[in-house]
């Protein structure tokens, strides 16, 4: 069989999780995004005596800002991982539905 009952069961269990992992991942991404913006703003304000372009470049090159960018990217990877799992679970269910429909049709013939 292309899709096993265990795969269908696992897909349904994953989709039924509460709080769903993608919600938690999105929450972490939002927090990381907000932290990056905060780090940028604080660093920009505290960089004195330069042009705006110089201040932006100094902030973007700073270690703290780069760490915030990395944290945000890591959080986005987690969101995308769960999106892929949701899509995969949906495909397993669709394949299972098609197989069940084909089986019912074959039984009628």
């Amino acid at each position: 069989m292309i899709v096993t009952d265990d795969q269908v069961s696992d897909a349904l269990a994953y989709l039924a999780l509460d709080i769903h992992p993608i919600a938690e991942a999105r929450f972490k991404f939002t927090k990381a995004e907000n932290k990056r913006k905060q780090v940028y703003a604080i660093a920009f304000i505290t960089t004195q005596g330069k042009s705006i372009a110089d201040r932006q470049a100094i902030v973007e090159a700073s270690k703290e800002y780069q760490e915030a960018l990395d944290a945000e990217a890591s959080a986005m990877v987690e969101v995308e991982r769960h999106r892929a799992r949701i899509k995969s679970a949906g495909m397993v269910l669709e394949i299972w539905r098609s197989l069940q429909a084909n089986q019912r049709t074959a039984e009628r013939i």
Side-chain angles (χ1 to χ4, degrees), residues 21-90:
I22 198 166
E24 292 177 348
R26 285 183 181 148
F27 174 74
K28 290 176 183 174
F29 173 75
T30 300
K31 285 186 70 164
E33 183 180 36
N34 291 342
K35 180 67 175 175
R36 175 192 48 84
K37 290 176 182 179
Q38 179 187 33
V39 166
Y40 186 93
I42 290 169
F44 189 84
I45 290 169
T46 59
T47 304
Q48 299 294 324
K50 308 280 184 184
S51 69
I52 290 176
D54 288 342
R55 291 167 71 183
Q56 289 172 333
I58 290 167
V59 170
E60 290 171 3
S62 72
K63 180 182 175 185
E64 295 82 12
Y65 186 71
Q66 290 301 314
E67 289 172 352
L69 285 173
D70 289 344
E72 184 178 13
S74 294
M76 179 51 79
V77 167
E78 191 68 14
V79 169
E80 291 302 323
R81 183 174 73 84
H82 287 292
R83 280 188 186 153
R85 285 190 71 190
I86 288 169
K87 186 175 181 180
S88 176

